[in-house]
Amino acid sequence: MNEVSFQCKVNQLFDDGYAVKQRKSVVSHCAYLSYFANEIKSFDFSFSDNAFEELRQQFSQEQVRLLREPGLYDLIKANKKIGAFPFYSFIISISKVKRDYLEAALSLQLNVLVAAYELKKLKGYEDYIERAFDATRIIFTDNKYQPIIGLIEPYKTYTEKDFLEIREQSKLAPHHLTRLASLFDKYSARMPTISKRIRVDQPKEIPPDKKPNYTNKESLVPFEDDEPKYTEILATEGNVTTSNGDHLEKIIDEKTATRYFEFLLIAPDEVKKSARLKSQLANSVAANIERREKSLTTEFRFLTKHEVTILVKECMHNIDDTYFGLLLLSLITGRTISEFLDNEVVMTKAETGELSDHYVIRYKPSLPNYEMIKKAITLIKKPKGEVLLIIPKCMNNLIANITRLDLAIDSTKQAISDCISQMNKRYCTRFTLAKISSVMPFYLIKAGADAAEIALMKGSSVVQHAACYYYQVPVQKLIELHQDFLSYLDADNNYGLSDFKKKTDLTVGSALQLQEDTAKKLFAVLHAKLLEQLQMGWENIEVLHNYLTVYTLFILNLSTGHRPVKHPYHTIDAFDLETSTVFIADKESRSNSAGRVLKLPSLAKEQLNHYLTHLRHIHHYFAQLSYQDGKHITDTLLGELPLFSFIQDSRFLTITPKLLDDFCIDLLPIPLNWHRHFIRTWLRDNNAKPLAVDVFMGHVNGDGDPFSRYSGVSMKDLDEVARLLNQLLSKNLEIKPFSSIEGLRL
């Protein structure tokens, strides 16, 4: 063959149709593989193309000699590393091909490499690529299969049809030829240069008699003297038709259908999956709209600012009256009259200290007190305070009188109702006992208070609101919220209701609040253990896998608030990596509406991708040990088995809370749901939207879907939560994504 430039030889090897960027990739791979075939004249090294010379300079002569060393493949085979390094084994297997078959073998290897390079840009084709590498390697290295190479025509681009025909001609290795046919079938179907033409019908010409006619008419409105006059252009009645609009709508509908059909043909599987999940979410939201509209809350249930002002004025004017005093107490504390009369609310006066000369309502919520080993107690921030509602000093005499009186419940309620009726008649207001006790929680909601904060301040039904279990709130924050409410009641400061200014460092709420430094050290220790296991190589792959599983789970748990359950996150189908969302269903046994869709922080998404790559990587290793082990990993990646599992003695173990707790006992000997306490408190301390935090934690009340038309939260709010959590993971806790691939390949 005459000496020609390397670029021309590429044109001989492959058909036309490659983009410039693709051609450069092909040239690069051809230059790489040309070192294996210097015996072939058509691949002589004396090319005049400068680009090829530059590519050759990237390889030293020693590297070239090693790549062409015939015994190198035998060495890697003897050490049982073929499954661990499929690409490297595929490359060096060319050294085992007989001279008679070398041209065709090199052409096959080039085609496989180009197809793999293009498919690698897309997601979901890793198995096709790796199976094609294995098939090519086996055909090259097994003498009984090498006659198949003689049936391959060199110097052309191969398709699925070529290998199906060879499979019919030769009875050798039909399954290997099928793998190659599958690779080139996917390559031809997914090649980025392929584009489908969309046919759009042109709109028909509108007949002249159907076109709207326009005439000039004087304005029907008289002009002012200094106003500029103008002429109105009006369409003549009777000539306007809607046929043109209907035709355009039809075109748009057909165009949408055509695009959808094209989407189904060429979109990668991950994009199709993302579209399906978004469609399911949209349908579930639409199904809740009607139910939500029937139970909308309106301000008619609550008192207006004007009514509140009248109520405060009347109560302060009659401050010495017991009945008006009880109404004022109900207003400023959010308690009902019945709670005061039944002695469910205890008001005490502090004689000394910061609370001296103030009556105070103290409340200690009944929350779990977790038992743990002694050395773990120092890792937890224990709550040491109690809820304090501080009564203004101007009400001291009133409270002293009320505590001395033995008020009859029925007669007192009737007398208070009479007072309310008189005010409603005099001021045309809508006072009721229920509305008066609801003023404080309604104000706190509008002021951005958390549902747990409101429940703690009201001091009732705490055990019914799950948020109180996970939130450790500063007592000072509750005091400030209450003082802000008192300032709202006394906007002009006429009565001195907001008169407490002292500070406290006490907290109340969750008793399982991990210190931030401890969480930071936990991930640093896990990362160090992963690096340690990585250095030990494949003999410690099970330990490495287990630590990587825990590392990934902890990052995802901090990113989603997932409860510790069996089969956490179920399968890979729960994740939509195209839109960075995850569907959480961790409470199905207790509620049929506990499922929620959350946004993933970017660091968590990156770590999850590393974990999936890790599974694909170890698949070859375990597939050689056992067919069942290889199938288990394959089914996991296909979403047919749970995503996370431990490996012990080549057995895959289901993740359960007990198994995970046993594994983590030396890392962090505290209950597994520590992350839910940690995240909820951290998010509120960093000003996350209260309702968005409830949605994130799965604590939304039973009033409909949180993303329906009239809800108070949207996916944009969860985007902000994900941004805050990414800041927590990457900056505060200094977590680094970890991939086991680095250091495990040659």
Side-chain angles (χ1 to χ4, degrees), residues 27-36 52 59 67 87-88 91 113:
V27 170
S28 174
H29 289 301
C30 288
Y32 183 82
L33 289 177
S34 65
Y35 285 107
F36 297 105
F52 175 67
F59 301 92
L67 289 173
F87 174 74
Y88 192 68
I91 290 294
L113 195 57

Side-chain angles (χ1 to χ4, degrees), residues 473-569:
V473 57
V475 175
Q476 182 63 34
K477 184 174 185 178
L478 301 180
I479 292 175
E480 290 175 355
L481 283 172
H482 187 239
Q483 292 298 308
D484 290 343
F485 171 62
L486 295 179
S487 298
Y488 163 77
L489 298 179
D490 186 14
D492 297 328
N493 198 24
N494 294 326
Y495 312 112
L497 297 182
S498 178
D499 59 356
F500 186 80
K501 307 298 181 184
K502 297 180 180 179
K503 305 289 184 180
T504 178
D505 296 328
L506 300 177
T507 58
V508 65
S510 165
L512 189 59
Q513 184 62 30
L514 189 69
Q515 299 187 44
E516 190 169 305
D517 288 343
T518 304
K520 182 178 178 180
K521 292 177 182 177
L522 168 66
F523 285 97
V525 169
L526 278 173
H527 196 273
K529 287 185 176 293
L530 285 169
L531 290 175
E532 178 184 345
Q533 298 302 322
L534 190 64
Q535 298 299 322
M536 296 183 181
W538 284 94
E539 58 269 18
N540 272 39
I541 187 60
E542 292 186 358
V543 180
L544 174 64
H545 170 82
N546 294 341
Y547 273 114
L548 184 62
T549 299
V550 172
Y551 191 71
T552 306
L553 267 177
F554 278 6
I555 292 176
L556 288 175
N557 288 345
L558 279 176
S559 304
T560 63
H562 198 291
R563 295 174 174 89
V565 295
K566 185 178 180 180
H567 298 319
Y569 302 96

Side-chain angles (χ1 to χ4, degrees), residues 641-654:
L641 287 177
L643 176 59
F644 294 102
S645 59
F646 284 150
I647 304 177
Q648 183 177 353
D649 299 330
S650 298
R651 292 186 302 112
F652 289 84
L653 306 178
T654 298

Side-chain angles (χ1 to χ4, degrees), residues 51-74:
F52 175 67
E53 292 296 333
E54 293 175 3
L55 289 169
R56 287 206 53 207
Q57 292 174 7
Q58 298 177 10
F59 301 92
S60 65
Q61 291 300 319
E62 180 65 19
Q63 289 174 316
V64 174
R65 188 188 66 78
L66 288 175
L67 289 173
R68 296 179 57 245
E69 181 67 42
L72 190 59
Y73 178 82
D74 296 332

Side-chain angles (χ1 to χ4, degrees), residues 367-378:
L367 297 175
N369 188 17
Y370 298 91
E371 295 183 1
M372 57 192 72
I373 60 178
K374 187 175 182 180
K375 68 176 183 179
I377 296 177
T378 58

Side-chain angles (χ1 to χ4, degrees), residues 325-334 340 347 391 395 399 402:
L326 285 171
L327 281 176
L328 185 59
L329 274 176
S330 177
L331 175 67
I332 68 174
T333 64
F340 286 106
M347 294 175 287
I391 310 299
M395 300 181 65
I399 297 174
I402 291 176

Side-chain angles (χ1 to χ4, degrees), residues 123 139 196 309 393 411 422 429 464 545 609 653 669 745:
K123 294 181 179 179
I139 292 174
K196 184 175 178 62
T309 302
K393 287 183 179 180
S411 60
Q422 293 175 11
T429 53
Q464 297 178 14
H545 170 82
N609 278 321
L653 306 178
R745 288 186 183 272

